[in-house]
Amino acid sequence: MSISPEAESLLFEILESPLGMEHDAPDAMAGMRAPKALGVRLVEDDLGAGCSSLIRLRQWPFDRIKIDIKIDQAIVMQAVDDPLRTLRFIRQLIRLGHDLDLEVVVEDLETRGLIEAALLLGADMGWGYALARPMSAEALAGWLGEFHSDWPDALPATALGALAGALVWEEHLHALPHDDGYWRQHAEVACAAGRYVDNRRLPPLHDAHQAMHAAAMAGPHDPGYRAARERFQALLIEQVALEERRRAVAA
């Protein structure tokens, strides 16, 4: 059976369902395979929003997942109240999608910080008011022609983006072989959080960042490194709160 290019451009979104465990019934599985055979791509919406979504992700032939970071406003609020835990949660959902060879979309990106965090945490795509407001089909072509993103070249410009970069940097540190040479090499390389720090005249944050990199030469499990990391993260989290308060006042 040949698959038409038109069919591959069609996305069929599956929403969270109150049917619970019934989504593994033979009729449901057959219903999913039929459009897939034609080339239609399947998308799981709101991953993690309901009790059955992870089970369904394992059983159904999805091509893409969507992470809604504005579920009941909870995750957006937590991005200010507990940004470190929030970013770790989003990172693990993105990794889950990629480990299953799926595209990952992060939804409801309403600030530049959230966009930067999604990019640095590895999301393939995203959408939200920080990128564009709803528009008519007639206006879309003009917007696409004029839209230009400077984010990949200028990351990160926000504390939330820097915190995401720091998490990914530490993840890479943990993945290295248990060897002083690898740790030293990683510690000496500039990181995404460092680009943010270098553009801010905040000596305590700069000093804490330098101390964290120096301590990383002893490895990710060294008590000195852990203390330096926690100090830097605490100062960065303070900056996240300050920046988000400013944005709230400006809005």
Side-chain angles (χ1 to χ4, degrees):
M1 177 185 296
S2 63
I3 297 175
S4 81
E6 291 79 7
E8 288 185 324
S9 66
L10 180 62
L11 300 176
F12 182 32
E13 289 195 7
I14 311 298
L15 303 178
E16 183 61 36
S17 169
L19 296 179
M21 298 295 291
E22 295 178 12
H23 50 57
D24 62 347
D27 290 345
M29 295 299 291
M32 292 301 99
R33 292 192 183 100
K36 283 284 291 183
L38 297 174
V40 176
R41 306 178 71 203
L42 300 183
V43 181
E44 177 166 24
D45 196 25
D46 295 350
L47 176 65
C51 60
S52 64
S53 61
L54 291 177
I55 299 173
R56 187 172 56 189
L57 179 63
R58 176 175 60 86
Q59 295 173 335
W60 288 15
F62 289 110
D63 299 282
R64 178 183 296 180
I65 59 173
K66 297 171 74 176
I67 302 170
D68 187 351
I69 63 171
K70 198 179 177 183
I71 299 168
D72 296 329
Q73 292 287 334
I75 297 182
V76 168
M77 292 172 63
Q78 289 169 4
V80 178
D81 298 335
D82 192 358
L84 191 60
R85 188 176 181 87
T86 302
L87 294 179
R88 284 173 173 160
F89 176 74
I90 295 172
R91 173 63 171 169
Q92 294 311 311
L93 290 179
I94 292 173
R95 290 190 65 180
L96 173 63
H98 287 165
D99 286 347
L100 295 173
D101 199 26
L102 304 174
E103 297 174 341
V104 179
V105 182
V106 178
E107 302 179 281
D108 292 306
L109 301 174
E110 297 193 355
T111 68
R112 176 167 181 138
L114 288 171
I115 293 174
E116 289 184 351
L119 282 168
L120 287 163
L121 295 176
D124 300 299
M125 288 166 278
W127 65 261
Y129 285 168
L131 291 168
R133 292 280 175 171
M135 66 185 72
S136 65
E138 293 76 16
L140 180 60
W143 180 85
L144 289 173
E146 296 175 1
F147 179 76
H148 173 71
S149 169
D150 62 345
W151 289 305
D153 299 326
L155 286 177
T158 68
L160 192 62
L163 188 59
L167 288 179
V168 174
W169 179 85
E170 185 180 37
E171 184 180 290
H172 293 164
L173 178 64
H174 277 274
L176 292 172
H178 192 90
D179 181 90
D180 293 356
Y182 286 102
W183 294 335
R184 178 177 295 276
Q185 184 178 16
H186 186 67
E188 291 175 346
V189 173
C191 68
R195 292 196 290 274
Y196 170 84
V197 171
D198 290 343
N199 289 325
R200 297 293 186 277
R201 295 182 178 179
L202 299 169
L205 188 63
H206 179 272
D207 293 345
H209 178 255
Q210 294 292 102
M212 182 184 73
H213 272 255
M217 296 182 186
H221 303 295
D222 179 75
Y225 166 72
R226 291 186 174 185
R229 176 201 62 192
E230 290 176 8
R231 171 63 176 162
F232 174 66
Q233 288 178 346
L235 292 173
L236 203 49
I237 288 169
E238 290 179 7
Q239 283 300 114
V240 171
L242 287 172
E243 290 180 5
E244 294 303 319
R245 286 196 202 101
R246 293 193 194 109
R247 290 190 182 94
V249 170

